[in-house]
Amino acid sequence: MSSAEKLIPRDEGFDPARVKLDFPILKNTGLIFLDSAASAQKPQCVIDAIANCYSRDYANIHRGVYELSARATANFEAVRETTQLFIGAAEAREIVFVRNTTEAINLVAATYGRQNVGRGDEVLITEMEHHSNIVPWQMLCEEKGAVLKVAPMDDRGALMLDEFEKLLCTRTKIVAVAHISNALGTVNPVKEITRLAHAHGAVVVIDGAQAIPHHRVDVANLDCDFYALSGHKVFGPTGVGVLYGKAALLESMPPYQGGGSMIETVRFEKSTYADIPQRFEAGTPDIGGVAGFGAALDYVSELGLDSIERHERELLAYATDLLAEVPGLRLIGTAPQKAAVISFSLEGVHPHDVGSILDHEGIAVRTGHHCAQPVMEHFGVPATVRASLALYNTREDIDALVRALQTVRELFK
Ligand code: C6P
């Protein structure tokens, strides 16, 4: 079957209860898993793809002349094409395999950033970024004597686009923005952000970690320059992520790490580097992980991102309505464009206590600052409880969450 055929969605009615059965950890334990924003669970097809890679198709890639190595290489490169189609990239060589979103952003900061950002230049981010989309830019700015600018959000957690625009100027070299905030669920207008940034000559890096499992992403349509994502958030294994970069930009960039696979020739006097994307893929990659990642993208494509998005939108509305009935519950993040994340605090109860009691009721949520400390500071809270949704969550999961929160309320009366 060709990659294109594999990506045809099976769109005849989306049933999350049936989808749940594809996930052994959910099927076998009855766990109500509301922490997919941290890392999503894995369907059987992903687990099988990893096992099959190691039991049938495994050898190092891009090296061996023997048939098994050629097959392993072909399988690995086929996932690059699957990824290209999945995010709408123009060419497969625009897909760089990395470990995760964090590494993808660090790669851009350390290569494009070091090459193009100088003293007095500016990097523009937003107040709602994950630490992975703050610290690499801070490190770059410190090294180069550049300035990190931060566009504010309002008290719903929506980006103030007019303020963002005012911060753009000829010194802005890079704009780095989350597609969807992990702490608030805010969906940022990344196409408009990209248009504004380009009008000022800046390149745009989108942190897509939270968007990719929920939302149809089309990088060509967004016209962004870089897009970062993690496989483990889109039902694939940990250890595999993607940096998308426009070919012309990737071609202009120096390597990130040196070693095997990223070179053309090596002499003690000087080495020359491979073409993209191999230039950025030093060393042996996560071959089994990439097989699992490919299976995860196929799985999501078969279910159909439009169906997934519709289901999650309905579930978010359902949960938001029910949670409004819980006394003392304050939603943190109420932007008009929101997806898959419900952050909240419960008056008089520490978020960690809420999390522990929910755990006791068989419900997994994340509590803490969610690696977004500036967001917590904005809302004047040390931490929140975060219930995050995915394609396998049902209304029954939300009902159980609300019941358990009523129990917390009773205990802390
Ligand atoms: N957020 C969460 O619980 P890595 O760890 O590299 O796969 O992803 C980092 C990252 C970057 N950007 C955003 C918007 C993210 O949400 C994350 C990961 C997890 O919210 C773990 S802190």
PDB file of all heavy atoms in Angstrom, residues 35-39 99-103 105 128-133 178-183 207-210 229-233 366 370-371 386, ligand 1:
ATOM      1  N   ASP A  35      -4.309  12.570  30.896  1.00  0.00           N
ATOM      2  CA  ASP A  35      -2.988  13.227  30.904  1.00  0.00           C
ATOM      3  C   ASP A  35      -2.266  13.030  29.574  1.00  0.00           C
ATOM      4  O   ASP A  35      -1.049  12.875  29.535  1.00  0.00           O
ATOM      5  CB  ASP A  35      -2.145  12.699  32.074  1.00  0.00           C
ATOM      6  CG  ASP A  35      -0.928  13.580  32.321  1.00  0.00           C
ATOM      7  OD1 ASP A  35      -0.949  14.768  31.912  1.00  0.00           O
ATOM      8  OD2 ASP A  35       0.059  13.085  32.898  1.00  0.00           O
ATOM      9  N   SER A  36      -3.023  13.075  28.495  1.00  0.00           N
ATOM     10  CA  SER A  36      -2.404  12.832  27.186  1.00  0.00           C
ATOM     11  C   SER A  36      -1.549  13.994  26.714  1.00  0.00           C
ATOM     12  O   SER A  36      -0.699  13.818  25.846  1.00  0.00           O
ATOM     13  CB  SER A  36      -3.487  12.523  26.151  1.00  0.00           C
ATOM     14  OG  SER A  36      -4.192  11.373  26.558  1.00  0.00           O
ATOM     15  N   ALA A  37      -1.759  15.190  27.287  1.00  0.00           N
ATOM     16  CA  ALA A  37      -0.903  16.311  26.898  1.00  0.00           C
ATOM     17  C   ALA A  37       0.529  16.084  27.372  1.00  0.00           C
ATOM     18  O   ALA A  37       1.477  16.591  26.770  1.00  0.00           O
ATOM     19  CB  ALA A  37      -1.445  17.622  27.465  1.00  0.00           C
ATOM     20  N   ALA A  38       0.682  15.314  28.462  1.00  0.00           N
ATOM     21  CA  ALA A  38       2.046  14.993  28.919  1.00  0.00           C
ATOM     22  C   ALA A  38       2.647  13.950  27.993  1.00  0.00           C
ATOM     23  O   ALA A  38       3.767  14.099  27.491  1.00  0.00           O
ATOM     24  CB  ALA A  38       2.013  14.484  30.347  1.00  0.00           C
ATOM     25  N   SER A  39       1.912  12.887  27.766  1.00  0.00           N
ATOM     26  CA  SER A  39       2.324  11.860  26.801  1.00  0.00           C
ATOM     27  C   SER A  39       1.113  10.969  26.558  1.00  0.00           C
ATOM     28  O   SER A  39       0.430  10.589  27.511  1.00  0.00           O
ATOM     29  CB  SER A  39       3.493  11.028  27.360  1.00  0.00           C
ATOM     30  OG  SER A  39       4.124  10.333  26.304  1.00  0.00           O
ATOM     31  N   ARG A  99      14.820  13.833  18.589  1.00  0.00           N
ATOM     32  CA  ARG A  99      14.284  13.054  19.715  1.00  0.00           C
ATOM     33  C   ARG A  99      12.893  13.512  20.122  1.00  0.00           C
ATOM     34  O   ARG A  99      12.066  12.711  20.539  1.00  0.00           O
ATOM     35  CB  ARG A  99      15.210  13.173  20.930  1.00  0.00           C
ATOM     36  CG  ARG A  99      16.444  12.282  20.865  1.00  0.00           C
ATOM     37  CD  ARG A  99      17.204  12.331  22.164  1.00  0.00           C
ATOM     38  NE  ARG A  99      17.572  13.703  22.498  1.00  0.00           N
ATOM     39  CZ  ARG A  99      17.440  14.238  23.713  1.00  0.00           C
ATOM     40  NH1 ARG A  99      16.957  13.530  24.709  1.00  0.00           N
ATOM     41  NH2 ARG A  99      17.807  15.491  23.939  1.00  0.00           N
ATOM     42  N   ASN A 100      12.658  14.816  20.053  1.00  0.00           N
ATOM     43  CA  ASN A 100      11.381  15.362  20.550  1.00  0.00           C
ATOM     44  C   ASN A 100      11.288  16.846  20.179  1.00  0.00           C
ATOM     45  O   ASN A 100      12.209  17.387  19.549  1.00  0.00           O
ATOM     46  CB  ASN A 100      11.272  15.168  22.069  1.00  0.00           C
ATOM     47  CG  ASN A 100      12.540  15.608  22.794  1.00  0.00           C
ATOM     48  OD1 ASN A 100      13.203  16.552  22.372  1.00  0.00           O
ATOM     49  ND2 ASN A 100      12.892  14.928  23.851  1.00  0.00           N
ATOM     50  N   THR A 101      10.211  17.476  20.593  1.00  0.00           N
ATOM     51  CA  THR A 101      10.019  18.906  20.309  1.00  0.00           C
ATOM     52  C   THR A 101      11.162  19.731  20.884  1.00  0.00           C
ATOM     53  O   THR A 101      11.659  20.670  20.251  1.00  0.00           O
ATOM     54  CB  THR A 101       8.688  19.376  20.944  1.00  0.00           C
ATOM     55  OG1 THR A 101       7.634  18.580  20.402  1.00  0.00           O
ATOM     56  CG2 THR A 101       8.423  20.836  20.668  1.00  0.00           C
ATOM     57  N   THR A 102      11.554  19.381  22.100  1.00  0.00           N
ATOM     58  CA  THR A 102      12.619  20.126  22.769  1.00  0.00           C
ATOM     59  C   THR A 102      13.880  20.137  21.915  1.00  0.00           C
ATOM     60  O   THR A 102      14.505  21.186  21.720  1.00  0.00           O
ATOM     61  CB  THR A 102      12.917  19.474  24.149  1.00  0.00           C
ATOM     62  OG1 THR A 102      11.702  19.435  24.891  1.00  0.00           O
ATOM     63  CG2 THR A 102      13.971  20.237  24.917  1.00  0.00           C
ATOM     64  N   GLU A 103      14.246  18.971  21.397  1.00  0.00           N
ATOM     65  CA  GLU A 103      15.462  18.917  20.582  1.00  0.00           C
ATOM     66  C   GLU A 103      15.272  19.682  19.275  1.00  0.00           C
ATOM     67  O   GLU A 103      16.200  20.344  18.785  1.00  0.00           O
ATOM     68  CB  GLU A 103      15.873  17.474  20.295  1.00  0.00           C
ATOM     69  CG  GLU A 103      17.212  17.442  19.585  1.00  0.00           C
ATOM     70  CD  GLU A 103      17.821  16.057  19.469  1.00  0.00           C
ATOM     71  OE1 GLU A 103      17.099  15.124  19.085  1.00  0.00           O
ATOM     72  OE2 GLU A 103      19.023  15.913  19.750  1.00  0.00           O
ATOM     73  N   ILE A 105      13.503  22.367  18.727  1.00  0.00           N
ATOM     74  CA  ILE A 105      13.634  23.816  18.954  1.00  0.00           C
ATOM     75  C   ILE A 105      15.094  24.176  19.252  1.00  0.00           C
ATOM     76  O   ILE A 105      15.624  25.165  18.727  1.00  0.00           O
ATOM     77  CB  ILE A 105      12.687  24.270  20.089  1.00  0.00           C
ATOM     78  CG1 ILE A 105      11.228  24.042  19.661  1.00  0.00           C
ATOM     79  CG2 ILE A 105      12.913  25.747  20.437  1.00  0.00           C
ATOM     80  CD1 ILE A 105      10.192  24.245  20.760  1.00  0.00           C
ATOM     81  N   MET A 128       2.729  32.500  26.885  1.00  0.00           N
ATOM     82  CA  MET A 128       2.169  31.179  27.223  1.00  0.00           C
ATOM     83  C   MET A 128       3.053  30.015  26.774  1.00  0.00           C
ATOM     84  O   MET A 128       2.604  28.875  26.725  1.00  0.00           O
ATOM     85  CB  MET A 128       0.766  31.046  26.615  1.00  0.00           C
ATOM     86  CG  MET A 128       0.750  30.894  25.133  1.00  0.00           C
ATOM     87  SD  MET A 128      -0.919  30.833  24.493  1.00  0.00           S
ATOM     88  CE  MET A 128      -1.283  32.567  24.282  1.00  0.00           C
ATOM     89  N   GLU A 129       4.342  30.302  26.480  1.00  0.00           N
ATOM     90  CA  GLU A 129       5.185  29.218  25.958  1.00  0.00           C
ATOM     91  C   GLU A 129       5.554  28.198  27.033  1.00  0.00           C
ATOM     92  O   GLU A 129       5.705  28.524  28.206  1.00  0.00           O
ATOM     93  CB  GLU A 129       6.463  29.793  25.330  1.00  0.00           C
ATOM     94  CG  GLU A 129       6.237  30.710  24.155  1.00  0.00           C
ATOM     95  CD  GLU A 129       5.306  30.139  23.091  1.00  0.00           C
ATOM     96  OE1 GLU A 129       5.447  28.962  22.736  1.00  0.00           O
ATOM     97  OE2 GLU A 129       4.412  30.879  22.628  1.00  0.00           O
ATOM     98  N   HIS A 130       5.747  26.977  26.575  1.00  0.00           N
ATOM     99  CA  HIS A 130       6.355  25.907  27.379  1.00  0.00           C
ATOM    100  C   HIS A 130       7.837  26.250  27.556  1.00  0.00           C
ATOM    101  O   HIS A 130       8.425  26.920  26.698  1.00  0.00           O
ATOM    102  CB  HIS A 130       6.193  24.605  26.577  1.00  0.00           C
ATOM    103  CG  HIS A 130       6.681  23.371  27.261  1.00  0.00           C
ATOM    104  ND1 HIS A 130       8.005  23.008  27.310  1.00  0.00           N
ATOM    105  CD2 HIS A 130       6.012  22.384  27.907  1.00  0.00           C
ATOM    106  CE1 HIS A 130       8.123  21.860  27.947  1.00  0.00           C
ATOM    107  NE2 HIS A 130       6.931  21.456  28.326  1.00  0.00           N
ATOM    108  N   HIS A 131       8.444  25.782  28.634  1.00  0.00           N
ATOM    109  CA  HIS A 131       9.860  26.088  28.878  1.00  0.00           C
ATOM    110  C   HIS A 131      10.745  25.718  27.684  1.00  0.00           C
ATOM    111  O   HIS A 131      11.771  26.358  27.444  1.00  0.00           O
ATOM    112  CB  HIS A 131      10.356  25.362  30.133  1.00  0.00           C
ATOM    113  CG  HIS A 131       9.625  25.792  31.382  1.00  0.00           C
ATOM    114  ND1 HIS A 131       9.675  25.091  32.562  1.00  0.00           N
ATOM    115  CD2 HIS A 131       8.802  26.861  31.611  1.00  0.00           C
ATOM    116  CE1 HIS A 131       8.931  25.704  33.470  1.00  0.00           C
ATOM    117  NE2 HIS A 131       8.384  26.781  32.919  1.00  0.00           N
ATOM    118  N   SER A 132      10.337  24.696  26.930  1.00  0.00           N
ATOM    119  CA  SER A 132      11.129  24.279  25.752  1.00  0.00           C
ATOM    120  C   SER A 132      11.147  25.330  24.660  1.00  0.00           C
ATOM    121  O   SER A 132      11.986  25.283  23.768  1.00  0.00           O
ATOM    122  CB  SER A 132      10.540  23.004  25.138  1.00  0.00           C
ATOM    123  OG  SER A 132      10.710  21.931  26.004  1.00  0.00           O
ATOM    124  N   ASN A 133      10.177  26.246  24.706  1.00  0.00           N
ATOM    125  CA  ASN A 133      10.155  27.309  23.697  1.00  0.00           C
ATOM    126  C   ASN A 133      10.488  28.664  24.337  1.00  0.00           C
ATOM    127  O   ASN A 133      10.153  29.705  23.788  1.00  0.00           O
ATOM    128  CB  ASN A 133       8.791  27.359  22.998  1.00  0.00           C
ATOM    129  CG  ASN A 133       8.877  27.986  21.617  1.00  0.00           C
ATOM    130  OD1 ASN A 133       9.938  27.983  20.972  1.00  0.00           O
ATOM    131  ND2 ASN A 133       7.777  28.556  21.161  1.00  0.00           N
ATOM    132  N   ALA A 178       3.844  28.784  20.371  1.00  0.00           N
ATOM    133  CA  ALA A 178       3.130  27.500  20.473  1.00  0.00           C
ATOM    134  C   ALA A 178       1.895  27.523  19.575  1.00  0.00           C
ATOM    135  O   ALA A 178       1.178  28.525  19.549  1.00  0.00           O
ATOM    136  CB  ALA A 178       2.688  27.269  21.917  1.00  0.00           C
ATOM    137  N   HIS A 179       1.647  26.417  18.899  1.00  0.00           N
ATOM    138  CA  HIS A 179       0.412  26.300  18.119  1.00  0.00           C
ATOM    139  C   HIS A 179      -0.763  26.192  19.102  1.00  0.00           C
ATOM    140  O   HIS A 179      -1.750  26.914  18.976  1.00  0.00           O
ATOM    141  CB  HIS A 179       0.500  25.079  17.207  1.00  0.00           C
ATOM    142  CG  HIS A 179      -0.506  25.064  16.103  1.00  0.00           C
ATOM    143  ND1 HIS A 179      -0.377  24.299  14.982  1.00  0.00           N
ATOM    144  CD2 HIS A 179      -1.672  25.725  15.952  1.00  0.00           C
ATOM    145  CE1 HIS A 179      -1.422  24.496  14.190  1.00  0.00           C
ATOM    146  NE2 HIS A 179      -2.221  25.350  14.763  1.00  0.00           N
ATOM    147  N   ILE A 180      -0.598  25.274  20.092  1.00  0.00           N
ATOM    148  CA  ILE A 180      -1.590  25.138  21.174  1.00  0.00           C
ATOM    149  C   ILE A 180      -0.846  25.131  22.504  1.00  0.00           C
ATOM    150  O   ILE A 180       0.145  24.402  22.665  1.00  0.00           O
ATOM    151  CB  ILE A 180      -2.420  23.850  21.014  1.00  0.00           C
ATOM    152  CG1 ILE A 180      -3.246  23.897  19.715  1.00  0.00           C
ATOM    153  CG2 ILE A 180      -3.340  23.647  22.223  1.00  0.00           C
ATOM    154  CD1 ILE A 180      -4.126  22.684  19.460  1.00  0.00           C
ATOM    155  N   SER A 181      -1.313  25.946  23.443  1.00  0.00           N
ATOM    156  CA  SER A 181      -0.667  26.003  24.760  1.00  0.00           C
ATOM    157  C   SER A 181      -0.966  24.745  25.567  1.00  0.00           C
ATOM    158  O   SER A 181      -2.135  24.353  25.694  1.00  0.00           O
ATOM    159  CB  SER A 181      -1.171  27.233  25.521  1.00  0.00           C
ATOM    160  OG  SER A 181      -1.088  27.004  26.916  1.00  0.00           O
ATOM    161  N   ASN A 182       0.086  24.156  26.151  1.00  0.00           N
ATOM    162  CA  ASN A 182      -0.119  22.937  26.938  1.00  0.00           C
ATOM    163  C   ASN A 182      -0.763  23.211  28.281  1.00  0.00           C
ATOM    164  O   ASN A 182      -1.400  22.336  28.853  1.00  0.00           O
ATOM    165  CB  ASN A 182       1.220  22.208  27.170  1.00  0.00           C
ATOM    166  CG  ASN A 182       2.136  22.978  28.095  1.00  0.00           C
ATOM    167  OD1 ASN A 182       2.286  24.190  27.961  1.00  0.00           O
ATOM    168  ND2 ASN A 182       2.732  22.292  29.046  1.00  0.00           N
ATOM    169  N   ALA A 183      -0.612  24.440  28.793  1.00  0.00           N
ATOM    170  CA  ALA A 183      -1.126  24.740  30.131  1.00  0.00           C
ATOM    171  C   ALA A 183      -2.538  25.305  30.081  1.00  0.00           C
ATOM    172  O   ALA A 183      -3.258  25.258  31.071  1.00  0.00           O
ATOM    173  CB  ALA A 183      -0.194  25.719  30.837  1.00  0.00           C
ATOM    174  N   ASP A 207       5.931  25.738  17.746  1.00  0.00           N
ATOM    175  CA  ASP A 207       6.008  24.594  18.653  1.00  0.00           C
ATOM    176  C   ASP A 207       4.672  23.861  18.529  1.00  0.00           C
ATOM    177  O   ASP A 207       3.664  24.290  19.085  1.00  0.00           O
ATOM    178  CB  ASP A 207       6.251  25.112  20.075  1.00  0.00           C
ATOM    179  CG  ASP A 207       6.107  24.021  21.129  1.00  0.00           C
ATOM    180  OD1 ASP A 207       5.701  22.888  20.778  1.00  0.00           O
ATOM    181  OD2 ASP A 207       6.380  24.310  22.308  1.00  0.00           O
ATOM    182  N   GLY A 208       4.696  22.761  17.790  1.00  0.00           N
ATOM    183  CA  GLY A 208       3.461  22.040  17.493  1.00  0.00           C
ATOM    184  C   GLY A 208       3.205  20.854  18.412  1.00  0.00           C
ATOM    185  O   GLY A 208       2.331  20.030  18.128  1.00  0.00           O
ATOM    186  N   ALA A 209       3.941  20.787  19.542  1.00  0.00           N
ATOM    187  CA  ALA A 209       3.846  19.606  20.412  1.00  0.00           C
ATOM    188  C   ALA A 209       2.406  19.253  20.755  1.00  0.00           C
ATOM    189  O   ALA A 209       2.020  18.081  20.731  1.00  0.00           O
ATOM    190  CB  ALA A 209       4.648  19.830  21.691  1.00  0.00           C
ATOM    191  N   GLN A 210       1.600  20.274  21.067  1.00  0.00           N
ATOM    192  CA  GLN A 210       0.231  19.980  21.513  1.00  0.00           C
ATOM    193  C   GLN A 210      -0.777  19.997  20.372  1.00  0.00           C
ATOM    194  O   GLN A 210      -1.916  19.584  20.564  1.00  0.00           O
ATOM    195  CB  GLN A 210      -0.200  20.985  22.596  1.00  0.00           C
ATOM    196  CG  GLN A 210       0.591  20.890  23.881  1.00  0.00           C
ATOM    197  CD  GLN A 210       0.411  19.545  24.597  1.00  0.00           C
ATOM    198  OE1 GLN A 210      -0.530  18.802  24.345  1.00  0.00           O
ATOM    199  NE2 GLN A 210       1.339  19.228  25.477  1.00  0.00           N
ATOM    200  N   LEU A 229       7.619  18.946  16.547  1.00  0.00           N
ATOM    201  CA  LEU A 229       6.625  18.066  17.185  1.00  0.00           C
ATOM    202  C   LEU A 229       7.297  16.840  17.819  1.00  0.00           C
ATOM    203  O   LEU A 229       8.431  16.499  17.481  1.00  0.00           O
ATOM    204  CB  LEU A 229       5.567  17.635  16.171  1.00  0.00           C
ATOM    205  CG  LEU A 229       6.019  16.810  14.979  1.00  0.00           C
ATOM    206  CD1 LEU A 229       5.698  15.336  15.206  1.00  0.00           C
ATOM    207  CD2 LEU A 229       5.330  17.306  13.714  1.00  0.00           C
ATOM    208  N   SER A 230       6.539  16.229  18.738  1.00  0.00           N
ATOM    209  CA  SER A 230       7.013  15.022  19.441  1.00  0.00           C
ATOM    210  C   SER A 230       6.146  13.837  19.070  1.00  0.00           C
ATOM    211  O   SER A 230       4.913  13.926  19.157  1.00  0.00           O
ATOM    212  CB  SER A 230       6.908  15.211  20.964  1.00  0.00           C
ATOM    213  OG  SER A 230       7.771  16.209  21.416  1.00  0.00           O
ATOM    214  N   GLY A 231       6.771  12.717  18.731  1.00  0.00           N
ATOM    215  CA  GLY A 231       6.005  11.514  18.390  1.00  0.00           C
ATOM    216  C   GLY A 231       5.172  10.981  19.542  1.00  0.00           C
ATOM    217  O   GLY A 231       4.068  10.482  19.346  1.00  0.00           O
ATOM    218  N   HIS A 232       5.701  11.109  20.764  1.00  0.00           N
ATOM    219  CA  HIS A 232       5.002  10.475  21.905  1.00  0.00           C
ATOM    220  C   HIS A 232       3.677  11.150  22.229  1.00  0.00           C
ATOM    221  O   HIS A 232       2.832  10.566  22.897  1.00  0.00           O
ATOM    222  CB  HIS A 232       5.909  10.424  23.143  1.00  0.00           C
ATOM    223  CG  HIS A 232       6.187  11.753  23.780  1.00  0.00           C
ATOM    224  ND1 HIS A 232       5.472  12.218  24.853  1.00  0.00           N
ATOM    225  CD2 HIS A 232       7.108  12.707  23.510  1.00  0.00           C
ATOM    226  CE1 HIS A 232       5.945  13.398  25.219  1.00  0.00           C
ATOM    227  NE2 HIS A 232       6.949  13.719  24.410  1.00  0.00           N
ATOM    228  N   LYS A 233       3.487  12.383  21.744  1.00  0.00           N
ATOM    229  CA  LYS A 233       2.200  13.058  22.020  1.00  0.00           C
ATOM    230  C   LYS A 233       1.148  12.651  20.988  1.00  0.00           C
ATOM    231  O   LYS A 233      -0.038  12.902  21.178  1.00  0.00           O
ATOM    232  CB  LYS A 233       2.375  14.570  21.967  1.00  0.00           C
ATOM    233  CG  LYS A 233       3.479  15.071  22.893  1.00  0.00           C
ATOM    234  CD  LYS A 233       3.022  16.157  23.795  1.00  0.00           C
ATOM    235  CE  LYS A 233       4.195  16.855  24.426  1.00  0.00           C
ATOM    236  NZ  LYS A 233       4.189  16.729  25.883  1.00  0.00           N
ATOM    237  N   ARG A 366      -2.626  15.605  35.331  1.00  0.00           N
ATOM    238  CA  ARG A 366      -1.348  16.183  35.740  1.00  0.00           C
ATOM    239  C   ARG A 366      -1.607  17.376  36.650  1.00  0.00           C
ATOM    240  O   ARG A 366      -2.522  18.167  36.404  1.00  0.00           O
ATOM    241  CB  ARG A 366      -0.541  16.623  34.516  1.00  0.00           C
ATOM    242  CG  ARG A 366       0.830  17.146  34.908  1.00  0.00           C
ATOM    243  CD  ARG A 366       1.774  17.378  33.752  1.00  0.00           C
ATOM    244  NE  ARG A 366       2.961  18.059  34.257  1.00  0.00           N
ATOM    245  CZ  ARG A 366       3.916  18.579  33.523  1.00  0.00           C
ATOM    246  NH1 ARG A 366       3.851  18.486  32.203  1.00  0.00           N
ATOM    247  NH2 ARG A 366       4.952  19.183  34.062  1.00  0.00           N
ATOM    248  N   HIS A 370       3.273  22.529  34.799  1.00  0.00           N
ATOM    249  CA  HIS A 370       3.201  22.050  33.408  1.00  0.00           C
ATOM    250  C   HIS A 370       4.339  22.608  32.542  1.00  0.00           C
ATOM    251  O   HIS A 370       4.169  22.815  31.329  1.00  0.00           O
ATOM    252  CB  HIS A 370       1.833  22.367  32.781  1.00  0.00           C
ATOM    253  CG  HIS A 370       0.693  22.057  33.708  1.00  0.00           C
ATOM    254  ND1 HIS A 370       0.434  20.777  34.164  1.00  0.00           N
ATOM    255  CD2 HIS A 370      -0.219  22.866  34.305  1.00  0.00           C
ATOM    256  CE1 HIS A 370      -0.595  20.810  34.984  1.00  0.00           C
ATOM    257  NE2 HIS A 370      -1.001  22.065  35.099  1.00  0.00           N
ATOM    258  N   CYS A 371       5.485  22.857  33.171  1.00  0.00           N
ATOM    259  CA  CYS A 371       6.628  23.425  32.435  1.00  0.00           C
ATOM    260  C   CYS A 371       6.240  24.720  31.744  1.00  0.00           C
ATOM    261  O   CYS A 371       6.672  24.996  30.607  1.00  0.00           O
ATOM    262  CB  CYS A 371       7.214  22.431  31.436  1.00  0.00           C
ATOM    263  SG  CYS A 371       7.752  20.908  32.176  1.00  0.00           S
ATOM    264  N   ARG A 386      -4.596  19.689  35.630  1.00  0.00           N
ATOM    265  CA  ARG A 386      -4.840  19.726  34.186  1.00  0.00           C
ATOM    266  C   ARG A 386      -5.399  18.388  33.713  1.00  0.00           C
ATOM    267  O   ARG A 386      -4.750  17.358  33.829  1.00  0.00           O
ATOM    268  CB  ARG A 386      -3.546  20.028  33.433  1.00  0.00           C
ATOM    269  CG  ARG A 386      -3.772  20.205  31.931  1.00  0.00           C
ATOM    270  CD  ARG A 386      -2.478  20.295  31.157  1.00  0.00           C
ATOM    271  NE  ARG A 386      -1.746  19.058  31.207  1.00  0.00           N
ATOM    272  CZ  ARG A 386      -0.534  18.874  30.680  1.00  0.00           C
ATOM    273  NH1 ARG A 386       0.094  19.874  30.091  1.00  0.00           N
ATOM    274  NH2 ARG A 386       0.065  17.701  30.746  1.00  0.00           N
TER     275      ARG A 386
HETATM  276  N1  C6P B   1       4.604  19.160  27.435  1.00  0.00           N
HETATM  277  C1  C6P B   1       3.119  18.525  29.220  1.00  0.00           C
HETATM  278  O1  C6P B   1       2.763  17.818  30.154  1.00  0.00           O
HETATM  279  P1  C6P B   1       8.986  17.126  24.670  1.00  0.00           P
HETATM  280  O2  C6P B   1       9.178  16.906  26.145  1.00  0.00           O
HETATM  281  O3  C6P B   1      10.224  17.653  24.021  1.00  0.00           O
HETATM  282  O4  C6P B   1       8.387  15.972  23.977  1.00  0.00           O
HETATM  283  O5  C6P B   1       7.884  18.279  24.537  1.00  0.00           O
HETATM  284  C2  C6P B   1       8.147  19.532  25.094  1.00  0.00           C
HETATM  285  C3  C6P B   1       6.979  20.424  24.917  1.00  0.00           C
HETATM  286  C4  C6P B   1       7.106  21.541  24.115  1.00  0.00           C
HETATM  287  N2  C6P B   1       6.072  22.349  23.870  1.00  0.00           N
HETATM  288  C5  C6P B   1       4.862  22.121  24.389  1.00  0.00           C
HETATM  289  C6  C6P B   1       3.729  23.050  24.057  1.00  0.00           C
HETATM  290  C7  C6P B   1       4.665  21.013  25.216  1.00  0.00           C
HETATM  291  O6  C6P B   1       3.469  20.794  25.735  1.00  0.00           O
HETATM  292  C8  C6P B   1       5.758  20.159  25.511  1.00  0.00           C
HETATM  293  C9  C6P B   1       5.595  19.008  26.451  1.00  0.00           C
HETATM  294  C10 C6P B   1       4.303  18.119  28.377  1.00  0.00           C
HETATM  295  O7  C6P B   1       2.514  19.563  28.936  1.00  0.00           O
HETATM  296  C11 C6P B   1       5.455  17.689  29.209  1.00  0.00           C
HETATM  297  S1  C6P B   1       6.149  19.005  30.141  1.00  0.00           S
END
